[in-house]
Amino acid sequence: MKDWYQKSGEEVLSELHTTKEGLSSEQAKELLARLGENVLSEGRKKSTLRVFAEQFKDLLVVILIAAAVISMLSGNVESTVVIVAVILLNAILGTVQHEKAQKSLASLKSLSSPTAKVIREGQKLEIDSRNVVPGDILLLEAGDMVVADGRILNNYSLQVNESSLTGESTNVDKEDNTLEAELPLADRTNMVYSGSLVTYGRAVVVVTGTGMNTEIGKIASLMNATKEKKTPLQASMDQFSSRLALIIMMICALVFLLSLYRRMPLLDSLMFAVALAVAAIPEALSSIVTIVQAMGTQRMAKENAIIKELKAVESLGCVSVICSDKTGTLTQNKMTVQDVYIDGRTMAPEELDISSQLHRYLIYDAVLTNDSAIVEGKGIGDPTEYALLEMTGKINVSHHYLRDLMHRLEELPFDSDRKLMSTKYHLHGVPTVLTKGAVDVLLDRMTHIRTSEGIRELTAKDREEILLQNQRFSENGLRVLGFAYKEVDKNHELSLNSENGFTFLGLISMVDPPREESKAAVADAKRAGIRTVMITGDHKITATAIAKQIGIFEEGDMAVTGAELDAMTDEELDQNITKTSVYARVSPENKIRIVDAWQRRGNIVSMTGDGVNDAPALKKADIGVAMGITGTEVSKDAASMILSDDNFATIIKAVANGRNVYRNIKHAIQFLLSGNTAGILSVLYTSLMALPVPFAPVHLLFINLLTDSLPAIAIGMEPAKHDLLGEKPRDPKEGILTKDFLIKLLLQGALIAAGTMTAFHIGLKTGSSATASTMAFCTLTLSRLFHGFNCRSKYSIFKIGFSSNWYSLGAFLAGVVLLSLVMFVPFLSRLFSVTALNGSQIAVIYGLAVIPTIIIQMAKVIKYKN
Ligand code: ATP
């Protein structure tokens, strides 16, 4: 049987029951229902049961089981029941959390899933790539990701990178002819394959296979194991936890031996050791880190920054340089033609006159070397191009009419490396190449000039004149396009090598105002210790003018062109890098060098990109940022963050959120670990002082898993405040657990432990050891609940206020209610080994619990003077 590539386009179409007009929507619906979505199945996901089972692998569970057994042996059956219930509850919570995190990652993934341009019922549509079905007519252009396998029907210089499939990194030229021979995949040049990238040209393709029926699907099914990657922070927390566990085990063994030495009964000694282990292990730590990160990405998605990799959230907080595109990111990408320069003079676009032959050629060039359209008043395609159509619309020249009248023979599409676009038409019966592009590029390729007096050779003075005019426009921040044409003989083939020998027609300048929020965002970035650098394909003078308007370019700064950059050695670049705030006329390779140079200085660099060739620079940057609206699928694929509004200001918001997430995680860790330290110190103290065991394991489990989790999550929800941008970026090499941080943990833990042990002593004096234990437990629980307020911010609660985070107040109240239930509901009191307390004992508990917080708050007031 013949393969798709061996059949003619017509054969393929009829076999797939489709035409060049595409499928009907009913057909597409039916096929989608029958064949399934166009996605690669992601291997077998872990079953819920397996995730549940994995929760028991934890060291904590082993210790808890030991605790349950010891409790049972010591005759405390209720305690055993509670511990078993806690183990189960913990496993259920862990499972639910895992599934939730998976879901939220999947929803982020779907936000960044690629789109595809298809024709259905004769209409061009942009649909989610998941809905593409065999028989769909797919339109491909440079920058697209091929989302399904297909047979090329019409080829316009299509070049594709198929490295994901063949491993071959060079671009492959495609064709639309039928191939007779049996050929290996890489030689089937009339086919495109899912997962490849369009690097150049255009093509119309009929889809032959989707989802797992594509060539990549066949391979994917072989290597389908999905691995969950941990972020550096998660990994370092895991590492920390396991190290901590080891240390704890050693201390436990020590305490156990000490108790035995003191001739304490074996079971009691074991209870000491177990209490210490339960007190010390930060059960909630790892899940809190994950929850806070997940919440952070959700918030960022709402603010138009879609995070593709969780680790980007962490790196965002360290960003110290942002390299941003100009057009569309810093500016509005709303182009409007301002002036036309033709026949040696500048005029308003309304003055163009189609009855003049000179003007007519410029108008033809503007309308025909142009792939955009205006439909129902809305521009479709490249804003630079539909600005030209709006201009001709103003003088009542219909682009629909001109395009219907004249048939495009050949084309060389625009690309930002070449900065030109050319097409071939029959104009007045003569084959003519029309071209438009960057003036400096075009000028080198022009030999003649056309004026109202006719065509003549281009003189040095003409060149000077054109350059001068270009400069005048550029100094006002205008984007300038040059227009030229040449008549050719009928056998002339349009090729990249033949884009020369043109006759100059004129210049058109257009405004693209900066986005309103750009200036403030650049100022915010500066305050936050972040350098903004403009990297653009536009002219140096235009770029500098815009950069000045929005505060990127300041007195004494440098602007460098791609060509100047090429001439610099790495050492020269290193010397100039901090002074240069504008790079103009850059190539994608230039971008990589710029990122590299900043990174050599130890900076964490964020780089934006939208083009097909930007992928390597986006990958090289620490945070590659792609444009959600105008970006190519290729750039989105390479980026770690996508801006759904293409806006520079969104990057700054994301940085603030990234800093906030990191800070909140740090504070949550501080909260959890200082609380645990208090527990450890209390147990150690009683052990050393030969006092009874202060806590039963259930007490500590109650605190660690219930009353501590709530404030920790609330701390994770602390909103981003303006002051976040007042600090310098975080040093990426600096971990969370610095010396200062550990000292703080120890001090705060010691304060809480002191309160707890005072309560314990009072309990021992006024009642039994059971009363003392209850008082110690209640004091520890309550003081950790109060401590939740201390860990919200480095500033005092008077400065940040309760109302700025209601969750924190809610968590406190919920914790107090839970504790009261345990204290006052007899059944729960029994379960949690709590005895009844009298009024004055309760007053003592509250007093002692609040004292550490009062001291910590006073210290903050003194330190930060508020
Ligand atoms: P940025 O990199 O900031 O997005 P840009 O959009 O100005 O900048 P390019 O799109 O690469 O960069 O454009 C570079 C130059 O190519 C422009 O200055 C303009 O002269 C020319 N140009 C832009 N669009 C077209 C087009 N559609 N056809 C022909 N020339 C174009």
Side-chain angles (χ1 to χ4, degrees):
M1 213 188 90
K2 282 205 274 184
D3 215 319
W4 294 117
Y5 68 93
Q6 296 166 312
K7 297 177 188 170
S8 70
E10 285 68 36
E11 275 177 273
V12 177
L13 285 172
S14 81
E15 207 163 302
L16 291 166
H17 309 292
T18 183
T19 65
K20 281 194 167 178
E21 297 287 289
L23 299 166
S24 68
S25 51
E26 284 77 40
Q27 266 178 309
K29 219 190 221 163
E30 191 268 321
L31 282 166
L32 189 65
R34 189 149 54 85
L35 301 173
E37 287 194 336
N38 176 32
V39 285
L40 298 181
S41 66
E42 298 202 356
R44 264 191 296 125
K45 274 210 330 228
K46 269 191 212 164
S47 69
T48 310
L49 205 64
R50 169 119 183 255
V51 176
F52 182 72
E54 279 180 4
Q55 307 296 316
F56 294 93
K57 276 199 328 210
D58 223 35
L59 180 68
L60 164 76
V61 177
V62 178
I63 293 175
L64 288 184
I65 291 173
V69 173
I70 295 165
S71 298
M72 179 88 109
L73 291 178
S74 64
N76 194 346
V77 183
E78 278 120 347
S79 197
T80 311
V81 172
V82 175
I83 296 176
V84 172
V86 162
I87 296 176
L88 285 177
L89 191 72
N90 190 39
I92 293 171
L93 280 180
T95 312
V96 171
Q97 233 162 54
H98 180 275
E99 304 273 291
K100 248 182 137 174
Q102 286 308 100
K103 249 201 208 130
S104 99
L105 276 182
S107 78
L108 278 181
K109 225 187 213 166
S110 74
L111 275 180
S112 58
S113 106
T115 55
K117 289 171 283 245
V118 296
I119 298 184
R120 283 187 185 165
E121 294 174 345
Q123 296 279 347
K124 186 174 160 184
L125 304 172
E126 190 152 332
I127 61 172
D128 192 319
S129 66
R130 285 180 293 196
N131 299 332
V132 170
V133 291
D136 261 330
I137 303 294
L138 196 62
L139 302 174
L140 294 177
E141 60 186 10
D144 285 350
M145 194 143 71
V146 182
V147 296
D149 287 2
R151 165 77 160 86
I152 300 173
L153 299 175
N154 298 99
N155 176 45
Y156 305 97
S157 328
L158 189 77
Q159 284 182 3
V160 174
N161 183 317
E162 292 178 344
S163 59
S164 58
L165 203 60
T166 61
E168 183 58 60
S169 63
T170 48
N171 296 334
V172 188
D173 282 308
K174 293 290 178 178
E175 59 178 323
D176 47 24
N177 303 325
T178 310
L179 303 168
E180 302 289 339
E182 289 275 331
L183 294 168
L185 204 70
D187 295 337
R188 299 176 191 169
T189 45
N190 59 6
M191 295 287 292
V192 285
Y193 294 104
S194 177
S196 20
L197 310 171
V198 181
T199 51
Y200 191 79
R202 267 186 333 117
V204 182
V205 168
V206 56
V207 173
T208 54
T210 56
M212 294 305 281
N213 287 327
T214 56
E215 294 296 331
I216 193 108
K218 287 178 201 158
I219 310 176
S221 57
L222 296 178
M223 45 166 206
N224 241 343
T226 39
K227 268 205 190 126
E228 287 159 32
K229 272 196 248 147
K230 298 216 157 169
T231 71
L233 189 61
Q234 282 170 339
S236 85
M237 278 302 121
D238 282 358
Q239 198 192 13
F240 167 74
S241 296
S242 51
R243 245 190 252 155
L244 188 73
L246 262 180
I247 299 172
I248 291 166
M249 301 288 258
M250 284 186 323
I251 303 180
C252 283
L254 231 117
V255 167
F256 177 63
L257 292 176
L258 190 73
S259 314
L260 281 186
Y261 172 76
R262 291 230 173 89
R263 302 187 185 285
M264 203 184 257
L266 178 73
L267 272 181
D268 284 357
S269 310
L270 271 174
M271 276 317 256
F272 247 122
V274 167
L276 187 63
V278 178
I281 293 180
E283 290 88 1
L285 195 63
S286 151
S287 49
I288 295 285
V289 171
T290 314
I291 294 176
V292 176
Q293 277 179 337
M295 284 186 318
T297 53
Q298 302 285 351
R299 187 178 312 153
M300 287 189 207
K302 272 193 212 123
E303 294 182 0
N304 297 322
I306 298 158
I307 300 288
K308 280 180 56 202
E309 299 166 356
L310 258 190
K311 77 174 195 301
V313 182
E314 289 161 29
S315 331
L316 265 172
C318 308
V319 165
S320 51
V321 177
I322 301 177
C323 301
S324 175
D325 277 341
K326 172 178 72 71
T327 313
T329 312
L330 289 162
T331 66
Q332 298 178 8
N333 209 5
K334 285 199 189 112
M335 309 270 175
T336 318
V337 170
Q338 180 125 330
D339 302 292
V340 179
Y341 172 76
I342 193 165
D343 206 12
R345 74 180 186 95
T346 307
M347 58 170 76
E350 290 81 5
E351 289 178 60
L352 281 174
D353 176 10
I354 191 127
S355 63
S356 136
Q357 226 194 18
L358 173 61
H359 288 196
R360 191 157 60 237
Y361 267 82
L362 183 75
I363 292 167
Y364 283 163
D365 202 348
V367 173
L368 299 176
T369 312
N370 189 322
D371 285 327
S372 69
I374 296 181
V375 179
E376 288 162 9
K378 260 185 73 184
I380 296 175
D382 180 354
T384 304
E385 296 195 342
Y386 62 73
L388 297 171
L389 301 186
E390 276 166 357
M391 173 193 82
T392 51
K394 279 187 198 152
I395 49 167
N396 296 324
V397 173
S398 153
H399 62 282
H400 298 297
Y401 174 73
L402 280 185
R403 288 179 184 173
D404 285 346
L405 203 64
M406 279 173 273
H407 177 64
R408 189 181 286 184
L409 304 171
E410 279 179 278
E411 68 183 49
L412 289 171
F414 170 75
D415 77 71
S416 44
D417 261 344
R418 215 169 89 254
K419 301 184 172 55
L420 290 180
M421 170 174 179
S422 302
T423 55
K424 194 166 108 190
Y425 284 88
H426 272 131
L427 293 190
H428 307 301
V430 186
T432 308
V433 175
L434 297 170
T435 191
K436 75 175 196 308
V439 184
D440 32 351
V441 178
L442 203 53
L443 208 57
D444 292 340
R445 297 161 187 257
M446 291 190 300
T447 49
H448 290 76
I449 179 167
R450 183 165 181 163
T451 66
S452 48
E453 280 148 29
I455 300 173
R456 61 176 164 79
E457 254 181 50
L458 196 72
T459 62
K461 193 163 164 284
D462 292 327
R463 282 179 197 277
E464 216 173 277
E465 200 45 45
I466 295 168
L467 273 178
L468 193 70
Q469 190 52 49
N470 184 30
Q471 175 153 352
R472 273 190 218 121
F473 285 144
S474 303
E475 275 165 0
N476 291 324
L478 299 176
R479 162 182 284 237
V480 195
L481 286 186
F483 292 80
Y485 80 106
K486 68 174 173 185
E487 293 181 349
V488 291
D489 56 29
K490 68 175 191 305
N491 300 327
H492 175 274
E493 246 186 65
L494 201 51
S495 74
L496 293 179
N497 301 329
S498 67
E499 269 182 315
N500 46 37
F502 291 117
T503 300
F504 178 73
L505 284 168
L507 304 178
I508 291 180
S509 71
M510 38 188 97
V511 269
D512 174 21
R515 283 178 183 270
E516 272 167 29
E517 53 282 55
S518 288
K519 195 169 177 179
V522 170
D524 278 346
K526 196 168 172 194
R527 216 160 41 81
I530 301 169
R531 175 70 181 272
T532 310
V533 177
M534 180 190 277
I535 302 190
T536 175
D538 216 335
H539 194 275
K540 179 162 147 180
I541 302 174
T542 311
T544 311
I546 301 277
K548 269 187 194 153
Q549 284 174 29
I550 50 188
I552 291 180
F553 190 95
E554 293 179 340
E555 224 21 67
D557 282 358
M558 277 169 64
V560 170
T561 64
E564 288 162 351
L565 189 63
D566 287 336
M568 281 186 203
T569 62
D570 278 350
E571 289 72 40
E572 284 167 333
L573 177 60
D574 285 347
Q575 272 167 16
N576 291 324
I577 190 91
T578 53
K579 285 178 261 165
T580 313
S581 44
V582 172
Y583 295 88
R585 290 282 191 246
V586 288
S587 66
E589 294 80 56
N590 293 148
K591 287 189 168 186
I592 301 177
R593 269 191 87 197
I594 299 166
V595 174
D596 218 11
W598 277 110
Q599 284 176 337
R600 271 200 296 277
R601 299 178 57 87
N603 289 86
I604 297 292
V605 185
S606 166
M607 161 77 81
T608 70
D610 49 11
V612 52
N613 297 326
D614 285 338
L618 291 179
K619 285 211 174 112
K620 174 98 188 76
D622 300 277
I623 304 267
V625 182
M627 300 298 139
I629 305 172
T630 55
T632 53
E633 293 301 339
V634 177
S635 61
K636 288 184 206 169
D637 188 52
S640 43
M641 181 166 101
I642 301 175
L643 305 180
S644 52
D645 60 354
D646 287 12
N647 190 343
F648 175 78
T650 302
I651 307 179
I652 307 298
K653 271 194 232 155
V655 167
N657 271 318
R659 287 186 178 189
N660 191 42
V661 166
Y662 195 85
R663 191 194 58 177
N664 288 352
I665 287 177
K666 191 170 166 177
H667 286 161
I669 292 175
Q670 180 196 342
F671 170 73
L672 292 173
L673 292 187
S674 54
N676 280 12
T677 309
I680 299 172
L681 292 177
S682 303
V683 179
L684 270 180
Y685 169 80
T686 48
S687 155
L688 289 173
M689 302 297 287
L691 295 167
V693 192
F695 313 112
V698 280
H699 291 157
L700 297 159
L701 284 178
F702 175 82
I703 298 177
N704 283 6
L705 290 173
L706 285 175
T707 54
D708 248 18
S709 303
L710 300 173
I713 295 177
I715 290 167
M717 311 267 266
E718 192 72 20
K721 269 183 234 82
H722 210 54
D723 70 295
L724 269 175
L725 290 177
E727 294 163 12
K728 295 270 156 293
R730 188 179 86 241
D731 177 358
K733 286 193 225 78
E734 189 189 283
I736 284 191
L737 305 159
T738 55
K739 205 170 107 208
D740 285 354
F741 188 76
L742 293 176
I743 292 175
K744 203 190 270 175
L745 290 186
L746 212 64
L747 285 177
Q748 296 183 343
L751 265 175
I752 296 175
T756 306
M757 284 303 97
T758 312
F760 190 61
H761 277 295
I762 296 175
L764 281 177
K765 270 216 181 103
T766 57
S768 63
S769 67
T771 316
S773 169
T774 301
M775 284 184 74
F777 160 61
C778 294
T779 311
L780 186 63
T781 312
L782 265 178
S783 40
R784 283 164 79 160
L785 285 172
F786 278 119
H787 189 44
F789 296 116
N790 300 329
C791 296
R792 280 181 53 197
S793 161
K794 65 179 182 185
Y795 299 113
S796 75
I797 195 77
F798 310 110
K799 179 154 182 186
I800 56 174
F802 285 104
S803 62
S804 51
N805 184 353
W806 288 113
Y807 297 106
S808 144
L809 211 56
F812 175 80
L813 292 177
V816 170
V817 168
L818 279 173
L819 180 65
S820 309
L821 286 177
V822 168
M823 283 169 76
F824 302 119
V825 176
F827 162 70
L828 290 176
S829 301
R830 236 190 354 267
L831 269 188
F832 282 89
S833 312
V834 165
T835 57
L837 300 179
N838 60 33
S840 57
Q841 283 165 331
I842 293 174
V844 166
I845 291 168
Y846 271 85
L848 287 171
V850 78
I851 287 174
T853 294
I854 293 175
I855 297 175
I856 294 170
Q857 288 293 329
M858 272 165 44
K860 284 174 191 263
V861 171
I862 294 166
K863 185 161 178 197
Y864 296 104
K865 305 194 177 56
N866 60 53

